Amino acid sequence: MPGRESVWDYPRPPRVETDSRHLAVVVGSVVVASTNAGLRLLETSHPPAFYFPRGDVRMEYMRTSPDRTLCEWKGTATHWDIAVGTTLVRRAAWSYERPRDEYTAIEGHLAFYPGKALCTVDGEAVACQPGDFYGGWITPEIDGPFKGGPGTRSW
């Protein structure tokens, strides 16, 4: 349908594209990240993950986590905690400090898990991708089903 996107039309391996909509991440009453220069990573069966330029993230609230994960496409991810006052949100974001060559566009960017903070696109709250591993942002124009819930790990 016009104006709709199916995650099953997204490519594998993933594609990175620019997105000029206003993206924001809020913890409590603090805007931790805000940009109109986001990148959207599209991968088959996943809602998009949004990447913020580091210059649009309030890095004084970000703390690197010792956790690392591996993506077969992008490489090793560094995970980040958000510390706002007495609130600590563990593994709330991730980045690829040295992504593989095809994904250098996301170098110097952070992506946020919408299940860990209030994440918005053009002022509207997004839903989080099912499960506790992936960080896709479900916006009203995105259609699933989405990978991440029970029984979908092998998709």
Side-chain angles (χ1 to χ4, degrees):
M1 292 175 61
R4 309 279 319 152
E5 294 181 23
S6 170
V7 297
W8 294 97
D9 292 333
Y10 292 164
R12 190 163 175 86
R15 178 178 74 236
V16 178
E17 60 183 37
T18 59
D19 195 303
S20 62
R21 294 178 290 178
H22 183 253
L23 311 174
V25 177
V26 179
V27 173
S29 61
V30 174
V31 178
V32 174
S34 176
T35 192
N36 285 92
L39 297 175
R40 202 167 74 129
L41 188 125
L42 308 177
E43 180 177 359
T44 304
S45 77
H46 297 269
F50 286 88
Y51 287 78
F52 289 67
R54 200 161 293 201
D56 292 339
V57 176
R58 295 186 62 191
M59 294 303 294
E60 68 266 27
Y61 295 116
M62 306 303 297
R63 308 285 181 266
T64 56
S65 161
D67 298 337
R68 302 291 182 268
T69 54
L70 180 65
C71 171
E72 65 184 304
W73 308 110
K74 298 175 291 294
T76 301
T78 298
H79 290 267
W80 298 80
D81 300 334
I82 300 173
V84 175
T86 60
T87 301
L88 179 64
V89 185
R90 296 195 185 277
R91 285 186 61 149
W94 73 95
S95 64
Y96 291 92
E97 300 302 304
R98 288 181 212 66
R100 294 191 177 133
D101 289 343
E102 306 89 286
Y103 296 96
T104 56
I106 62 173
E107 187 172 349
H109 289 68
L110 274 78
F112 293 83
Y113 289 98
K116 303 274 185 151
L118 172 63
C119 297
T120 64
V121 175
D122 283 341
E124 294 198 31
V126 303
C128 59
Q129 183 171 5
D132 60 359
F133 184 75
Y134 302 109
W137 293 26
I138 302 172
T139 53
E141 77 279 4
I142 306 297
D143 291 325
F146 308 110
K147 183 174 183 174
T152 66
R153 192 159 189 94
S154 64
W155 286 6

